[in-house]
Amino acid sequence: SFSSPRRTIQHERLTMKFSAVVLALALGAASAFAPVNNRAMPRTVVQAQEPWVATLYPYADGVSAPAATATAEKGTKQDFLEASPYYDMSEIPVNTYKTKSPFVGKITSVKRIVGPKATGETCDIVIDHQGKMPYWEGQSFGVIPPGTNPKNGKPNSVRLYSIASSRYGDDMTGNTATLCVRRATYWCPELGAEDPAKKGVCSNYLCDAEPGTEVKMTGPSGKVMLMPEDKPETDIIMVATGTGIAPYRSFWKRLFIEETPAAEAYKGLAWLFLGVANSDALLYDDELQSIKEKNPDNFRLDYALSREMENKKGGKMYIQDKVEEYADEIFDRLDKGGHIYFCGLKGMMPGIQDMLAEVCKSKDIDYDAWLSGLKKGGQWHVEVY
């Protein structure tokens, strides 16, 4: 599947020159030197998007990763997309593709991942980027939906989505990325129905897409949500509402599911807090429960289900209420160098910050100074929308 015209001609010449027996022996001998990983595969060298891309990502220059890696074998290590050392951040890919010249990917699957009683529809969407858009865990891709903006007649603008898979993709080839997208709709009280004129253009485009649909993509972008992999003993506290869970899925895939250098080195605690309306709205719960069972010393999981649980005051259990239950331990872990991440709707932050301020007050801590210290130490990570 990687034959170039030049290779085809050379092969034909060999066939003419040698007997079938000799050729069979040659092919048999060649098979004894099968590549150990993607870096060993032969490839056509063309100009990459950036000089560093061809070095770190051998398939970012227009050649797809070999078909033989389409399904990773159990026990196969994911190590062919690593920096050297693996935690080196000096060459993180950023804005490889921009709005004026986006990459055209192809959707391979779209599946609903919430139950029937969930408040809204959320989909897991896998996009094939052919290995040409390498990214790191915690980054985002931009998607440009087709059509024009009716307000100004200009092409639709780019929408950013946190990537919900590790750099290896859910198929472990490094050729795909997964997005976690909630269909944005607007219920009109006057109509007594959803108003199609006000629905989210890009989210509905993605959730309605069929396998094979082409998607214009930009990025990857962002360095705010990256993990501190140079300090594998660091506690990682992840706070999310809804699809804000996306970047954390890339974290837990890299640290607990895939056989990566980061997973081998990690000694800290990864602690996820997720706030959704009810049990049917939980996302990737099967993966999380499996990780929790297999890694009791390094992974913790707490849910805030606003329509099924009560906080200590008897009201609905929101994300800030669940975090507050463990305030003493969280503050202690942050004092010892832990990192805390927030991702989801921007409306989550006022409640969380008010709660943290109250906790600081109860501990006779200056909240502004405390928060400033976390930011200065690179321990405070926020990505809301």
Side-chain angles (χ1 to χ4, degrees), residues 215-236:
V215 183
K216 292 182 178 179
M217 304 167 64
T218 66
S221 62
K223 293 184 178 181
V224 173
M225 300 292 284
L226 299 174
M227 289 189 290
E229 294 192 349
D230 59 327
K231 298 177 180 178
E233 72 283 357
T234 303
D235 293 334
I236 298 174

mmCIF file with all atom_site columns, all heavy atoms in Angstrom, residues 215-236:
data_model
loop_
_atom_site.group_PDB
_atom_site.id
_atom_site.type_symbol
_atom_site.label_atom_id
_atom_site.label_alt_id
_atom_site.label_comp_id
_atom_site.label_asym_id
_atom_site.label_entity_id
_atom_site.label_seq_id
_atom_site.pdbx_PDB_ins_code
_atom_site.Cartn_x
_atom_site.Cartn_y
_atom_site.Cartn_z
_atom_site.occupancy
_atom_site.B_iso_or_equiv
_atom_site.pdbx_formal_charge
_atom_site.auth_seq_id
_atom_site.auth_comp_id
_atom_site.auth_asym_id
_atom_site.auth_atom_id
_atom_site.pdbx_PDB_model_num
ATOM 1   N N   . VAL A 1 215 ? -13.877 16.259 6.816  1.00 0.00 ? 215 VAL A N   1
ATOM 2   C CA  . VAL A 1 215 ? -13.915 17.304 7.834  1.00 0.00 ? 215 VAL A CA  1
ATOM 3   C C   . VAL A 1 215 ? -12.682 18.204 7.704  1.00 0.00 ? 215 VAL A C   1
ATOM 4   O O   . VAL A 1 215 ? -11.555 17.713 7.689  1.00 0.00 ? 215 VAL A O   1
ATOM 5   C CB  . VAL A 1 215 ? -13.923 16.690 9.260  1.00 0.00 ? 215 VAL A CB  1
ATOM 6   C CG1 . VAL A 1 215 ? -14.039 17.793 10.303 1.00 0.00 ? 215 VAL A CG1 1
ATOM 7   C CG2 . VAL A 1 215 ? -15.050 15.702 9.414  1.00 0.00 ? 215 VAL A CG2 1
ATOM 8   N N   . LYS A 1 216 ? -12.919 19.509 7.628  1.00 0.00 ? 216 LYS A N   1
ATOM 9   C CA  . LYS A 1 216 ? -11.814 20.464 7.586  1.00 0.00 ? 216 LYS A CA  1
ATOM 10  C C   . LYS A 1 216 ? -11.349 20.721 9.015  1.00 0.00 ? 216 LYS A C   1
ATOM 11  O O   . LYS A 1 216 ? -12.142 21.082 9.879  1.00 0.00 ? 216 LYS A O   1
ATOM 12  C CB  . LYS A 1 216 ? -12.256 21.771 6.929  1.00 0.00 ? 216 LYS A CB  1
ATOM 13  C CG  . LYS A 1 216 ? -12.550 21.646 5.438  1.00 0.00 ? 216 LYS A CG  1
ATOM 14  C CD  . LYS A 1 216 ? -12.925 23.002 4.848  1.00 0.00 ? 216 LYS A CD  1
ATOM 15  C CE  . LYS A 1 216 ? -13.178 22.890 3.347  1.00 0.00 ? 216 LYS A CE  1
ATOM 16  N NZ  . LYS A 1 216 ? -13.570 24.195 2.760  1.00 0.00 ? 216 LYS A NZ  1
ATOM 17  N N   . MET A 1 217 ? -10.052 20.524 9.239  1.00 0.00 ? 217 MET A N   1
ATOM 18  C CA  . MET A 1 217 ? -9.504  20.589 10.598 1.00 0.00 ? 217 MET A CA  1
ATOM 19  C C   . MET A 1 217 ? -8.319  21.540 10.694 1.00 0.00 ? 217 MET A C   1
ATOM 20  O O   . MET A 1 217 ? -7.544  21.688 9.744  1.00 0.00 ? 217 MET A O   1
ATOM 21  C CB  . MET A 1 217 ? -9.067  19.191 11.044 1.00 0.00 ? 217 MET A CB  1
ATOM 22  C CG  . MET A 1 217 ? -10.165 18.148 10.968 1.00 0.00 ? 217 MET A CG  1
ATOM 23  S SD  . MET A 1 217 ? -9.506  16.469 11.153 1.00 0.00 ? 217 MET A SD  1
ATOM 24  C CE  . MET A 1 217 ? -8.876  16.558 12.835 1.00 0.00 ? 217 MET A CE  1
ATOM 25  N N   . THR A 1 218 ? -8.179  22.170 11.858 1.00 0.00 ? 218 THR A N   1
ATOM 26  C CA  . THR A 1 218 ? -7.026  23.019 12.145 1.00 0.00 ? 218 THR A CA  1
ATOM 27  C C   . THR A 1 218 ? -6.371  22.541 13.439 1.00 0.00 ? 218 THR A C   1
ATOM 28  O O   . THR A 1 218 ? -6.951  21.795 14.209 1.00 0.00 ? 218 THR A O   1
ATOM 29  C CB  . THR A 1 218 ? -7.441  24.486 12.313 1.00 0.00 ? 218 THR A CB  1
ATOM 30  O OG1 . THR A 1 218 ? -8.268  24.611 13.485 1.00 0.00 ? 218 THR A OG1 1
ATOM 31  C CG2 . THR A 1 218 ? -8.207  24.989 11.106 1.00 0.00 ? 218 THR A CG2 1
ATOM 32  N N   . GLY A 1 219 ? -5.165  23.009 13.666 1.00 0.00 ? 219 GLY A N   1
ATOM 33  C CA  . GLY A 1 219 ? -4.464  22.661 14.902 1.00 0.00 ? 219 GLY A CA  1
ATOM 34  C C   . GLY A 1 219 ? -3.328  21.675 14.682 1.00 0.00 ? 219 GLY A C   1
ATOM 35  O O   . GLY A 1 219 ? -2.847  21.524 13.569 1.00 0.00 ? 219 GLY A O   1
ATOM 36  N N   . PRO A 1 220 ? -2.940  21.012 15.754 1.00 0.00 ? 220 PRO A N   1
ATOM 37  C CA  . PRO A 1 220 ? -3.483  21.076 17.109 1.00 0.00 ? 220 PRO A CA  1
ATOM 38  C C   . PRO A 1 220 ? -3.120  22.390 17.793 1.00 0.00 ? 220 PRO A C   1
ATOM 39  O O   . PRO A 1 220 ? -2.186  23.079 17.382 1.00 0.00 ? 220 PRO A O   1
ATOM 40  C CB  . PRO A 1 220 ? -2.809  19.899 17.807 1.00 0.00 ? 220 PRO A CB  1
ATOM 41  C CG  . PRO A 1 220 ? -1.490  19.785 17.102 1.00 0.00 ? 220 PRO A CG  1
ATOM 42  C CD  . PRO A 1 220 ? -1.767  20.113 15.670 1.00 0.00 ? 220 PRO A CD  1
ATOM 43  N N   . SER A 1 221 ? -3.876  22.753 18.827 1.00 0.00 ? 221 SER A N   1
ATOM 44  C CA  . SER A 1 221 ? -3.621  24.001 19.523 1.00 0.00 ? 221 SER A CA  1
ATOM 45  C C   . SER A 1 221 ? -3.646  23.784 21.026 1.00 0.00 ? 221 SER A C   1
ATOM 46  O O   . SER A 1 221 ? -4.226  22.828 21.522 1.00 0.00 ? 221 SER A O   1
ATOM 47  C CB  . SER A 1 221 ? -4.682  25.048 19.139 1.00 0.00 ? 221 SER A CB  1
ATOM 48  O OG  . SER A 1 221 ? -5.976  24.618 19.522 1.00 0.00 ? 221 SER A OG  1
ATOM 49  N N   . GLY A 1 222 ? -3.005  24.698 21.728 1.00 0.00 ? 222 GLY A N   1
ATOM 50  C CA  . GLY A 1 222 ? -3.063  24.711 23.170 1.00 0.00 ? 222 GLY A CA  1
ATOM 51  C C   . GLY A 1 222 ? -1.942  24.004 23.893 1.00 0.00 ? 222 GLY A C   1
ATOM 52  O O   . GLY A 1 222 ? -1.497  22.931 23.486 1.00 0.00 ? 222 GLY A O   1
ATOM 53  N N   . LYS A 1 223 ? -1.471  24.648 24.978 1.00 0.00 ? 223 LYS A N   1
ATOM 54  C CA  . LYS A 1 223 ? -0.479  24.042 25.871 1.00 0.00 ? 223 LYS A CA  1
ATOM 55  C C   . LYS A 1 223 ? -0.907  24.132 27.336 1.00 0.00 ? 223 LYS A C   1
ATOM 56  O O   . LYS A 1 223 ? -0.202  23.669 28.214 1.00 0.00 ? 223 LYS A O   1
ATOM 57  C CB  . LYS A 1 223 ? 0.876   24.744 25.701 1.00 0.00 ? 223 LYS A CB  1
ATOM 58  C CG  . LYS A 1 223 ? 1.526   24.522 24.337 1.00 0.00 ? 223 LYS A CG  1
ATOM 59  C CD  . LYS A 1 223 ? 2.901   25.166 24.295 1.00 0.00 ? 223 LYS A CD  1
ATOM 60  C CE  . LYS A 1 223 ? 3.599   24.913 22.960 1.00 0.00 ? 223 LYS A CE  1
ATOM 61  N NZ  . LYS A 1 223 ? 4.960   25.515 22.931 1.00 0.00 ? 223 LYS A NZ  1
ATOM 62  N N   . VAL A 1 224 ? -2.098  24.708 27.559 1.00 0.00 ? 224 VAL A N   1
ATOM 63  C CA  . VAL A 1 224 ? -2.568  24.934 28.922 1.00 0.00 ? 224 VAL A CA  1
ATOM 64  C C   . VAL A 1 224 ? -2.856  23.637 29.666 1.00 0.00 ? 224 VAL A C   1
ATOM 65  O O   . VAL A 1 224 ? -2.619  23.529 30.874 1.00 0.00 ? 224 VAL A O   1
ATOM 66  C CB  . VAL A 1 224 ? -3.835  25.818 28.909 1.00 0.00 ? 224 VAL A CB  1
ATOM 67  C CG1 . VAL A 1 224 ? -4.448  25.923 30.302 1.00 0.00 ? 224 VAL A CG1 1
ATOM 68  C CG2 . VAL A 1 224 ? -3.514  27.200 28.369 1.00 0.00 ? 224 VAL A CG2 1
ATOM 69  N N   . MET A 1 225 ? -3.370  22.629 28.946 1.00 0.00 ? 225 MET A N   1
ATOM 70  C CA  . MET A 1 225 ? -3.846  21.407 29.605 1.00 0.00 ? 225 MET A CA  1
ATOM 71  C C   . MET A 1 225 ? -2.872  20.239 29.525 1.00 0.00 ? 225 MET A C   1
ATOM 72  O O   . MET A 1 225 ? -3.248  19.091 29.750 1.00 0.00 ? 225 MET A O   1
ATOM 73  C CB  . MET A 1 225 ? -5.187  20.994 28.987 1.00 0.00 ? 225 MET A CB  1
ATOM 74  C CG  . MET A 1 225 ? -6.285  22.024 29.128 1.00 0.00 ? 225 MET A CG  1
ATOM 75  S SD  . MET A 1 225 ? -6.836  22.266 30.836 1.00 0.00 ? 225 MET A SD  1
ATOM 76  C CE  . MET A 1 225 ? -7.839  20.795 31.066 1.00 0.00 ? 225 MET A CE  1
ATOM 77  N N   . LEU A 1 226 ? -1.634  20.503 29.232 1.00 0.00 ? 226 LEU A N   1
ATOM 78  C CA  . LEU A 1 226 ? -0.651  19.423 29.141 1.00 0.00 ? 226 LEU A CA  1
ATOM 79  C C   . LEU A 1 226 ? -0.330  18.846 30.523 1.00 0.00 ? 226 LEU A C   1
ATOM 80  O O   . LEU A 1 226 ? -0.417  19.534 31.534 1.00 0.00 ? 226 LEU A O   1
ATOM 81  C CB  . LEU A 1 226 ? 0.631   19.930 28.488 1.00 0.00 ? 226 LEU A CB  1
ATOM 82  C CG  . LEU A 1 226 ? 0.505   20.453 27.055 1.00 0.00 ? 226 LEU A CG  1
ATOM 83  C CD1 . LEU A 1 226 ? 1.835   21.047 26.596 1.00 0.00 ? 226 LEU A CD1 1
ATOM 84  C CD2 . LEU A 1 226 ? 0.059   19.344 26.108 1.00 0.00 ? 226 LEU A CD2 1
ATOM 85  N N   . MET A 1 227 ? 0.047   17.585 30.552 1.00 0.00 ? 227 MET A N   1
ATOM 86  C CA  . MET A 1 227 ? 0.427   16.941 31.804 1.00 0.00 ? 227 MET A CA  1
ATOM 87  C C   . MET A 1 227 ? 1.886   17.221 32.148 1.00 0.00 ? 227 MET A C   1
ATOM 88  O O   . MET A 1 227 ? 2.726   17.365 31.249 1.00 0.00 ? 227 MET A O   1
ATOM 89  C CB  . MET A 1 227 ? 0.218   15.426 31.706 1.00 0.00 ? 227 MET A CB  1
ATOM 90  C CG  . MET A 1 227 ? -1.222  14.988 31.684 1.00 0.00 ? 227 MET A CG  1
ATOM 91  S SD  . MET A 1 227 ? -1.392  13.181 31.836 1.00 0.00 ? 227 MET A SD  1
ATOM 92  C CE  . MET A 1 227 ? -0.760  12.628 30.238 1.00 0.00 ? 227 MET A CE  1
ATOM 93  N N   . PRO A 1 228 ? 2.226   17.286 33.445 1.00 0.00 ? 228 PRO A N   1
ATOM 94  C CA  . PRO A 1 228 ? 3.614   17.500 33.868 1.00 0.00 ? 228 PRO A CA  1
ATOM 95  C C   . PRO A 1 228 ? 4.392   16.195 33.854 1.00 0.00 ? 228 PRO A C   1
ATOM 96  O O   . PRO A 1 228 ? 4.768   15.652 34.900 1.00 0.00 ? 228 PRO A O   1
ATOM 97  C CB  . PRO A 1 228 ? 3.449   18.049 35.291 1.00 0.00 ? 228 PRO A CB  1
ATOM 98  C CG  . PRO A 1 228 ? 2.211   17.371 35.790 1.00 0.00 ? 228 PRO A CG  1
ATOM 99  C CD  . PRO A 1 228 ? 1.296   17.251 34.592 1.00 0.00 ? 228 PRO A CD  1
ATOM 100 N N   . GLU A 1 229 ? 4.650   15.659 32.675 1.00 0.00 ? 229 GLU A N   1
ATOM 101 C CA  . GLU A 1 229 ? 5.244   14.323 32.578 1.00 0.00 ? 229 GLU A CA  1
ATOM 102 C C   . GLU A 1 229 ? 6.687   14.265 33.038 1.00 0.00 ? 229 GLU A C   1
ATOM 103 O O   . GLU A 1 229 ? 7.215   13.178 33.276 1.00 0.00 ? 229 GLU A O   1
ATOM 104 C CB  . GLU A 1 229 ? 5.113   13.803 31.151 1.00 0.00 ? 229 GLU A CB  1
ATOM 105 C CG  . GLU A 1 229 ? 3.665   13.560 30.732 1.00 0.00 ? 229 GLU A CG  1
ATOM 106 C CD  . GLU A 1 229 ? 3.551   12.778 29.424 1.00 0.00 ? 229 GLU A CD  1
ATOM 107 O OE1 . GLU A 1 229 ? 4.584   12.608 28.742 1.00 0.00 ? 229 GLU A OE1 1
ATOM 108 O OE2 . GLU A 1 229 ? 2.443   12.337 29.109 1.00 0.00 ? 229 GLU A OE2 1
ATOM 109 N N   . ASP A 1 230 ? 7.336   15.433 33.185 1.00 0.00 ? 230 ASP A N   1
ATOM 110 C CA  . ASP A 1 230 ? 8.711   15.429 33.683 1.00 0.00 ? 230 ASP A CA  1
ATOM 111 C C   . ASP A 1 230 ? 8.766   15.130 35.174 1.00 0.00 ? 230 ASP A C   1
ATOM 112 O O   . ASP A 1 230 ? 9.847   14.874 35.722 1.00 0.00 ? 230 ASP A O   1
ATOM 113 C CB  . ASP A 1 230 ? 9.389   16.769 33.391 1.00 0.00 ? 230 ASP A CB  1
ATOM 114 C CG  . ASP A 1 230 ? 8.660   17.947 34.031 1.00 0.00 ? 230 ASP A CG  1
ATOM 115 O OD1 . ASP A 1 230 ? 7.418   17.889 34.135 1.00 0.00 ? 230 ASP A OD1 1
ATOM 116 O OD2 . ASP A 1 230 ? 9.318   18.927 34.423 1.00 0.00 ? 230 ASP A OD2 1
ATOM 117 N N   . LYS A 1 231 ? 7.588   15.149 35.830 1.00 0.00 ? 231 LYS A N   1
ATOM 118 C CA  . LYS A 1 231 ? 7.513   14.826 37.260 1.00 0.00 ? 231 LYS A CA  1
ATOM 119 C C   . LYS A 1 231 ? 6.456   13.736 37.449 1.00 0.00 ? 231 LYS A C   1
ATOM 120 O O   . LYS A 1 231 ? 5.310   14.023 37.810 1.00 0.00 ? 231 LYS A O   1
ATOM 121 C CB  . LYS A 1 231 ? 7.164   16.069 38.066 1.00 0.00 ? 231 LYS A CB  1
ATOM 122 C CG  . LYS A 1 231 ? 8.204   17.186 37.951 1.00 0.00 ? 231 LYS A CG  1
ATOM 123 C CD  . LYS A 1 231 ? 7.773   18.429 38.708 1.00 0.00 ? 231 LYS A CD  1
ATOM 124 C CE  . LYS A 1 231 ? 8.816   19.534 38.580 1.00 0.00 ? 231 LYS A CE  1
ATOM 125 N NZ  . LYS A 1 231 ? 8.388   20.779 39.277 1.00 0.00 ? 231 LYS A NZ  1
ATOM 126 N N   . PRO A 1 232 ? 6.812   12.488 37.210 1.00 0.00 ? 232 PRO A N   1
ATOM 127 C CA  . PRO A 1 232 ? 5.832   11.395 37.230 1.00 0.00 ? 232 PRO A CA  1
ATOM 128 C C   . PRO A 1 232 ? 5.218   11.109 38.588 1.00 0.00 ? 232 PRO A C   1
ATOM 129 O O   . PRO A 1 232 ? 4.260   10.350 38.680 1.00 0.00 ? 232 PRO A O   1
ATOM 130 C CB  . PRO A 1 232 ? 6.648   10.190 36.729 1.00 0.00 ? 232 PRO A CB  1
ATOM 131 C CG  . PRO A 1 232 ? 8.065   10.533 37.045 1.00 0.00 ? 232 PRO A CG  1
ATOM 132 C CD  . PRO A 1 232 ? 8.163   12.011 36.860 1.00 0.00 ? 232 PRO A CD  1
ATOM 133 N N   . GLU A 1 233 ? 5.734   11.735 39.635 1.00 0.00 ? 233 GLU A N   1
ATOM 134 C CA  . GLU A 1 233 ? 5.163   11.542 40.972 1.00 0.00 ? 233 GLU A CA  1
ATOM 135 C C   . GLU A 1 233 ? 4.032   12.540 41.253 1.00 0.00 ? 233 GLU A C   1
ATOM 136 O O   . GLU A 1 233 ? 3.382   12.489 42.308 1.00 0.00 ? 233 GLU A O   1
ATOM 137 C CB  . GLU A 1 233 ? 6.254   11.690 42.037 1.00 0.00 ? 233 GLU A CB  1
ATOM 138 C CG  . GLU A 1 233 ? 6.744   13.105 42.268 1.00 0.00 ? 233 GLU A CG  1
ATOM 139 C CD  . GLU A 1 233 ? 7.700   13.644 41.201 1.00 0.00 ? 233 GLU A CD  1
ATOM 140 O OE1 . GLU A 1 233 ? 8.042   12.881 40.275 1.00 0.00 ? 233 GLU A OE1 1
ATOM 141 O OE2 . GLU A 1 233 ? 8.102   14.817 41.303 1.00 0.00 ? 233 GLU A OE2 1
ATOM 142 N N   . THR A 1 234 ? 3.754   13.434 40.305 1.00 0.00 ? 234 THR A N   1
ATOM 143 C CA  . THR A 1 234 ? 2.782   14.508 40.504 1.00 0.00 ? 234 THR A CA  1
ATOM 144 C C   . THR A 1 234 ? 1.342   13.998 40.540 1.00 0.00 ? 234 THR A C   1
ATOM 145 O O   . THR A 1 234 ? 0.922   13.227 39.676 1.00 0.00 ? 234 THR A O   1
ATOM 146 C CB  . THR A 1 234 ? 2.906   15.557 39.377 1.00 0.00 ? 234 THR A CB  1
ATOM 147 O OG1 . THR A 1 234 ? 4.246   16.054 39.339 1.00 0.00 ? 234 THR A OG1 1
ATOM 148 C CG2 . THR A 1 234 ? 1.947   16.713 39.607 1.00 0.00 ? 234 THR A CG2 1
ATOM 149 N N   . ASP A 1 235 ? 0.579   14.465 41.541 1.00 0.00 ? 235 ASP A N   1
ATOM 150 C CA  . ASP A 1 235 ? -0.851  14.174 41.579 1.00 0.00 ? 235 ASP A CA  1
ATOM 151 C C   . ASP A 1 235 ? -1.561  15.046 40.551 1.00 0.00 ? 235 ASP A C   1
ATOM 152 O O   . ASP A 1 235 ? -1.258  16.236 40.410 1.00 0.00 ? 235 ASP A O   1
ATOM 153 C CB  . ASP A 1 235 ? -1.420  14.475 42.967 1.00 0.00 ? 235 ASP A CB  1
ATOM 154 C CG  . ASP A 1 235 ? -0.890  13.530 44.037 1.00 0.00 ? 235 ASP A CG  1
ATOM 155 O OD1 . ASP A 1 235 ? -0.516  12.398 43.680 1.00 0.00 ? 235 ASP A OD1 1
ATOM 156 O OD2 . ASP A 1 235 ? -0.844  13.929 45.214 1.00 0.00 ? 235 ASP A OD2 1
ATOM 157 N N   . ILE A 1 236 ? -2.500  14.447 39.826 1.00 0.00 ? 236 ILE A N   1
ATOM 158 C CA  . ILE A 1 236 ? -3.253  15.154 38.787 1.00 0.00 ? 236 ILE A CA  1
ATOM 159 C C   . ILE A 1 236 ? -4.727  15.116 39.163 1.00 0.00 ? 236 ILE A C   1
ATOM 160 O O   . ILE A 1 236 ? -5.367  14.056 39.132 1.00 0.00 ? 236 ILE A O   1
ATOM 161 C CB  . ILE A 1 236 ? -3.030  14.508 37.410 1.00 0.00 ? 236 ILE A CB  1
ATOM 162 C CG1 . ILE A 1 236 ? -1.545  14.594 37.014 1.00 0.00 ? 236 ILE A CG1 1
ATOM 163 C CG2 . ILE A 1 236 ? -3.905  15.175 36.354 1.00 0.00 ? 236 ILE A CG2 1
ATOM 164 C CD1 . ILE A 1 236 ? -1.212  13.863 35.735 1.00 0.00 ? 236 ILE A CD1 1
#
